[in-house]
């Protein structure tokens, strides 16, 4: 028995008759097994025929002799696809001539004698309605709406766009009754009132397309001009244009010919550019010995490297009197150099360390005595646990130089899969902490897998210690920001430590300004203590002793790097193992 079958409800004894009719009408159909009622039921008695299994067009059905309580309707129908007119006529005529409730309906629908609806649909009709051309599908659909049994020839004619002979529709007489003083007056459909309805012009369904055909090009032009105006305004405020004006003012040739007073004539210099080149013209005004002048600066530059360094090939000024002054000087720096990434790195060179930093764990504070003067110094002990170089960042790939350093150890089961792949790629054991330290150039990049010990720092040098400060919970304004509090006089009640007013009234916008210092969570943010002196370095115990206190509670992660505001330590940027050519061994 099939897993899924359609069950059809028939009157008593009609299921077998319907099955035999369907099997004789349609191909690939037959009558199957019959089931008799094992006991009495509300619609019949024991031993009567209860169900009949049959197949129509290779589709299983189950006929149920349930009685006259339920009748089929057009909500559920069976669609039969045909190939030509002959097959369509054969099925249609067989169903209509079956008798009983047989009836034909519009659009290829008909009912058999048992009341079930059938759709005899030629293949040409389905293909025409599904055509990608909307006008073709519309013609086929309109032709179908005028038929009961589908005429394949008319459907094919509608598909090709041929006009079929139209049959005028019979207009039903329309009558209206009006009440007048003389009695009831009858108005037929020949009256002018009803005739005007048929003469009324229908609305154009494509009217909105005609409107868009005119307005859309105008819209595109307005958007394009606005984008160009905004683009040039942004360029006029950009560092590229400002660097051009700066180079013009500082050029020896420009100062000699133009004087010192040079400025833009308008706020829209015409500048265009791409990723690898920058061209443009800048309209400027200048003063030469008290007299005003005007000229057009033309420049053309090309990118030389991925760092953003440009090479200027054209740099000239066209005067009002027709003279052209060549401002390009090979001995002077490039005009666009000051707005490039390379120039930015050059300006930040003094603030980027030569060497990478290291990671440590704050173990606590103790005291040390200076043997020279006998003074007692408070100090902090930082322990370095398996600090190792994990990865590099280069300017060619990432835009800057940096060393990724890891410390500690973490079980692989507690490490995410992306990080496990990262560690496996560089052949380094999983680390508990990963921190990135920027370095000035490629000389500061240590080899991957290199261990960094306490001897990376020298006794007597200065470092910057960076850690997250101890969280102190929710604190009031006096403790968190050092507010003085309210007056201590007798007139103040229960508000001695209150913050006070948080903002103005109507004059200040009746709001609290952003950044207002108020009570809130105190601590728990990154703090840097600069110029901390290294008192002692012990490679055997793996500790670095620092003078004074550093941020954070015991057990927190501490980032140590060479002090920015002190001279660089007198040591090699690289480790001794790299300088001697010893092989690097990645350890856990």
């Amino acid at each position: 028995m099939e897993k899924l079958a359609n069950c059809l409800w028939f009157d008593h004894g009609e299921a077998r008759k319907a099955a035999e009719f369907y099997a004789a009408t349609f191909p690939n159909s037959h009558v199957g097994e019959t089931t008799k009622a094992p006991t009495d039921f509300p619609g019949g008695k024991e031993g009567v025929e209860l169900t009949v299994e049959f197949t129509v067009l290779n589709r299983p059905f189950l006929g149920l002799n349930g009685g006259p309580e339920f009748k089929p309707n057009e909500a559920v129908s069976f669609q039969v696809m045909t190939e030509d007119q002959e097959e369509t006529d054969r099925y249609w005529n067989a169903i209509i001539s079956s008798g009983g409730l047989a009836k034909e309906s519009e659009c290829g629908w008909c009912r058999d004698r048992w009341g079930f609806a059938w759709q005899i649909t030629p293949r040409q009709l389905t293909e025409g309605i599904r055509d990608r051309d909307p006008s073709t599908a519309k013609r086929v659909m309109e032709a179908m709406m005028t038929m009961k049994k589908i005429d394949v020839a008319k459907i094919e004619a509608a598909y090709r766009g041929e006009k079929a002979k139209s049959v005028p529709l019979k207009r039903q007489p329309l009558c209206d009754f009006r009440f007048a003083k003389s009695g009831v007056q009858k108005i037929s459909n020949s009256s002018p009132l009803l005739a005007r309805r048929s003469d009324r012009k229908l609305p154009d369904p494509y009217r909105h397309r005609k409107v868009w055909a005119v307005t859309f090009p105008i819209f595109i032009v307005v958007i394009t001009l606005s984008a160009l105006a905004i683009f040039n305004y942004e360029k006029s405020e950009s560092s590229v244009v400002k660097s051009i004006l700066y180079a013009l003012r500082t050029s020896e040739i420009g100062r000699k010919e133009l004087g010192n007073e040079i400025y833009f004539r308008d706020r829209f210099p015409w500048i265009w550019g791409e990723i690898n080149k920058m061209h443009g013209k800048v309209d400027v005004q200048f003063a030469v010995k008290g007299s005003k002048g005007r000229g057009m600066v033309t420049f053309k530059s090309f990118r030389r490297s991925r760092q953003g360094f440009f090479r200027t090939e054209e740099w000239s000024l066209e005067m009002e009197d027709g003279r052209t002054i060549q401002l390009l000087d090979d001995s002077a720096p490039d005009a666009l150099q000051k707005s490039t990434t390379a120039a930015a790195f050059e300006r930040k060179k003094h603030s980027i360390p030569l060497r990478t930093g290291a990671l440590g764990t704050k173990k606590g504070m103790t005291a040390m005595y200076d043997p020279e003067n006998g003074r007692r110094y408070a100090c902090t002990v930082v322990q370095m646990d398996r600090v190792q170089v994990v990865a590099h960042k280069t300017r060619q790939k990432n835009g800057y130089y940096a060393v990724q350093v890891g410390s500690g150890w973490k079980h692989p089961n507690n490490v995410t899969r992306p990080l496990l792949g990262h560690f496996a790629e560089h052949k380094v054991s999983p680390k508990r902490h990963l921190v990135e330290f920027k370095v000035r150039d490629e000389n500061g990049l240590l080899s991957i897998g290199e261990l960094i010990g306490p001897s990376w720092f020298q006794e007597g040098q200065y470092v910057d210690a960076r850690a997250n400060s101890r969280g102190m919970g929710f604190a009031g304004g006096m403790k968190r920001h050092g507010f003085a509090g309210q007056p201590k006089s007798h007139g103040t009640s229960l508000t001695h430590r209150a913050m006070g007013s948080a903002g103005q009234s109507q004059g200040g916008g009746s709001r609290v300004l952003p950044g207002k210092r108020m009570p809130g969570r105190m601590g728990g943010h990154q703090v840097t203590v600069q110029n901390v002196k290294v008192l002692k370095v012990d490679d055997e115990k793996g500790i670095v002793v620092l003078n004074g206190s550093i941020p954070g509670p015991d057990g927190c992660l501490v980032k140590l790097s060479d002090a920015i505001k002190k001279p660089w330590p007198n040591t090699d940027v690289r480790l001794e193992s790299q300088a001697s050519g010893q092989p690097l061994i990645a350890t856990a």
Side-chain angles (χ1 to χ4, degrees):
M1 189 173 182
E2 295 290 340
K3 197 167 187 178
L4 177 64
N6 297 324
C7 182
L8 306 182
W9 184 288
F10 294 93
D11 200 354
H12 295 304
E14 295 294 328
R16 172 167 290 276
K17 297 178 182 180
E20 292 175 351
F21 172 76
Y22 296 148
T25 303
F26 299 101
N28 299 325
S29 306
H30 64 274
V31 181
E33 297 181 358
T34 301
T35 303
K36 294 185 178 181
T39 183
D40 295 343
F41 61 97
K45 296 183 178 181
E46 179 183 355
V48 300
E49 194 173 60
L50 182 63
T51 61
V52 178
E53 297 179 8
F54 60 96
T55 301
V56 179
L57 295 174
N58 294 326
R59 181 177 295 274
F61 288 90
L62 179 67
L64 174 64
N65 292 315
E69 285 80 8
F70 301 105
K71 301 292 184 182
N73 55 35
E74 282 75 6
V76 177
S77 63
F78 306 106
Q79 186 179 27
V80 180
M81 303 298 297
T82 60
E83 294 296 329
D84 50 20
Q85 187 67 48
E86 189 272 333
E87 188 179 7
T88 303
D89 295 341
R90 185 172 68 253
Y91 295 156
W92 181 276
N93 296 333
I95 293 174
I96 293 301
S97 61
S98 60
L101 299 176
K103 181 182 177 182
E104 59 180 4
S105 302
E106 290 75 9
C107 305
W109 289 59
C110 60
R111 289 195 305 173
D112 58 20
R113 58 174 295 185
W114 297 277
F116 291 102
W118 293 81
Q119 299 181 55
I120 310 302
T121 307
R123 174 181 51 82
Q124 294 82 350
L125 174 62
T126 305
E127 294 176 353
I129 295 178
R130 294 178 179 176
D131 194 82
R132 295 185 178 180
D133 186 5
S135 60
T136 302
K138 180 180 179 182
R139 291 195 305 269
V140 174
M141 188 73 176
E142 291 175 349
M144 181 199 69
M145 298 296 292
T146 62
M147 305 177 188
K148 289 188 176 180
K149 181 175 68 174
I150 302 301
D151 191 339
V152 177
K154 292 183 179 180
I155 293 296
E156 292 178 347
Y159 182 83
R160 295 190 298 266
E162 299 176 0
K163 294 185 178 180
K165 294 182 179 180
S166 60
V167 180
L169 299 177
K170 295 182 180 180
R171 182 181 296 274
Q172 298 294 332
L174 300 177
C175 296
D176 188 16
F177 293 90
R178 296 183 182 178
F179 292 91
K181 294 181 179 180
S182 59
V184 179
Q185 181 183 3
K186 180 179 179 181
I187 303 177
S188 65
N189 57 352
S190 60
S191 64
L193 178 62
L194 298 179
R196 283 197 300 269
R197 296 181 179 177
S198 61
D199 298 337
R200 189 176 302 166
K201 185 179 180 181
L202 296 177
D204 186 5
Y206 302 103
R207 179 173 55 85
H208 62 283
R209 297 185 182 179
K210 298 177 181 179
V211 175
W212 270 104
V214 178
T215 57
F216 187 71
I218 300 176
F219 174 76
I220 294 297
V221 171
V222 172
I223 292 297
T224 303
L225 294 178
S226 302
L228 290 175
I230 295 173
F231 173 77
N232 279 278
Y233 176 77
E234 294 293 336
K235 287 295 182 181
S236 66
E237 298 297 324
S238 65
S239 59
V240 176
V241 178
K242 292 180 180 179
S243 65
I244 294 171
L245 187 60
Y246 173 80
L248 188 61
R249 287 172 175 169
T250 56
S251 173
E252 293 294 336
I253 304 176
R255 293 178 60 185
K256 181 179 179 181
E257 296 290 339
L258 307 180
N260 295 325
E261 186 180 353
I262 304 174
Y263 52 90
F264 286 123
R265 176 176 174 82
D266 52 27
R267 295 184 61 82
F268 293 95
W270 191 253
I271 298 171
W272 64 96
E274 299 177 2
I275 296 178
N276 295 322
K277 58 185 177 181
M278 184 69 68
H279 302 172
K281 294 182 179 180
V282 181
D283 193 358
V284 298
Q285 284 186 350
F286 49 86
V288 180
K289 298 180 181 179
S291 61
K292 299 292 183 178
R294 178 184 174 185
M296 186 71 68
V297 177
T298 303
F299 64 94
K300 184 183 295 184
S301 300
F302 296 89
R303 188 188 296 270
R304 292 178 54 182
S305 61
R306 295 184 63 181
Q307 287 77 19
F309 185 77
F310 281 82
R311 180 183 73 255
T312 303
E313 294 186 352
E314 183 180 342
W315 182 248
S316 61
L317 173 64
E318 299 177 2
M319 308 283 288
E320 280 186 329
D321 54 5
R323 292 185 302 156
T324 300
I325 303 175
Q326 295 294 338
L327 301 175
L328 187 61
D329 187 2
D330 295 336
S331 61
D334 198 321
L336 297 181
Q337 185 178 0
K338 300 211 176 272
S339 62
T340 60
T341 307
F345 279 112
E346 189 67 23
R347 291 192 298 268
K348 297 178 181 179
K349 181 185 297 185
H350 68 281
S351 61
I352 301 178
L354 295 172
R355 316 186 305 163
T356 180
L359 301 178
T361 303
K362 182 179 178 180
K363 306 305 291 184
M365 295 194 65
T366 182
M368 290 183 61
Y369 286 92
D370 189 347
E372 296 182 358
N373 52 25
R375 295 185 58 182
R376 182 177 183 268
Y377 292 96
C379 58
T380 303
V381 179
V382 177
Q383 185 177 22
M384 300 175 63
D385 180 19
R386 290 167 283 190
V387 181
Q388 198 171 8
V389 178
V390 177
H392 291 160
K393 295 292 182 67
T394 60
R395 186 177 299 178
Q396 290 75 15
K397 184 177 180 181
N398 308 103
Y400 61 96
Y401 292 106
V403 179
Q404 190 181 67
V405 178
S407 67
W409 182 81
K410 199 172 185 180
H411 198 280
N413 292 343
N414 298 328
V415 182
T416 60
R417 292 177 67 89
L419 273 181
L420 277 178
H422 179 67
F423 291 127
E425 179 184 0
H426 298 92
K427 300 180 181 180
V428 178
S429 61
K431 299 296 182 181
R432 180 165 294 276
H433 304 288
L434 276 179
V435 175
E436 188 178 283
F437 292 95
K438 284 189 176 182
V439 293
R440 181 176 298 180
D441 49 29
E442 63 274 6
N443 294 327
L445 300 177
L446 299 181
S447 299
I448 296 178
E450 189 74 44
L451 289 173
I452 301 177
S455 59
W456 180 250
F457 303 102
Q458 297 178 347
E459 294 184 2
Q461 83 162 93
Y462 292 89
V463 296
D464 293 338
R466 186 177 292 106
N468 289 332
S469 61
R470 177 175 58 88
M472 288 169 279
F474 196 94
M478 295 182 67
K479 180 179 180 181
R480 190 183 186 197
H481 302 292
F483 290 165
Q486 301 299 322
K488 310 302 186 294
S489 60
H490 293 285
T492 304
S493 299
L494 304 179
T495 58
H496 296 86
R497 298 182 64 84
M499 181 186 68
S501 175
Q504 305 87 345
S505 182
Q506 295 182 359
S510 301
R511 65 192 183 99
V512 178
L513 297 177
K516 171 65 179 176
R517 296 183 297 172
M518 302 176 72
R521 293 184 62 181
M522 185 176 178
H525 56 272
Q526 183 172 275
V527 178
T528 302
V529 177
Q530 296 181 326
N531 305 332
V532 181
K533 189 176 181 180
V534 178
L535 299 180
K536 185 178 180 180
V537 173
D538 192 338
D539 276 336
E540 183 179 352
K541 297 180 179 179
I543 61 173
V544 177
V545 182
L546 304 178
N547 183 25
S549 61
I550 60 175
D554 294 347
C556 70
L557 180 69
V558 181
K559 308 171 190 176
L560 300 178
S561 59
D562 297 335
I564 295 295
K565 298 181 180 179
K566 293 289 184 179
W568 302 118
N570 188 16
T571 182
D572 192 3
V573 177
R574 297 178 178 268
L575 294 173
E576 295 181 359
S577 60
Q578 290 181 273
S580 59
Q582 297 179 5
L584 299 178
I585 301 176
T587 59

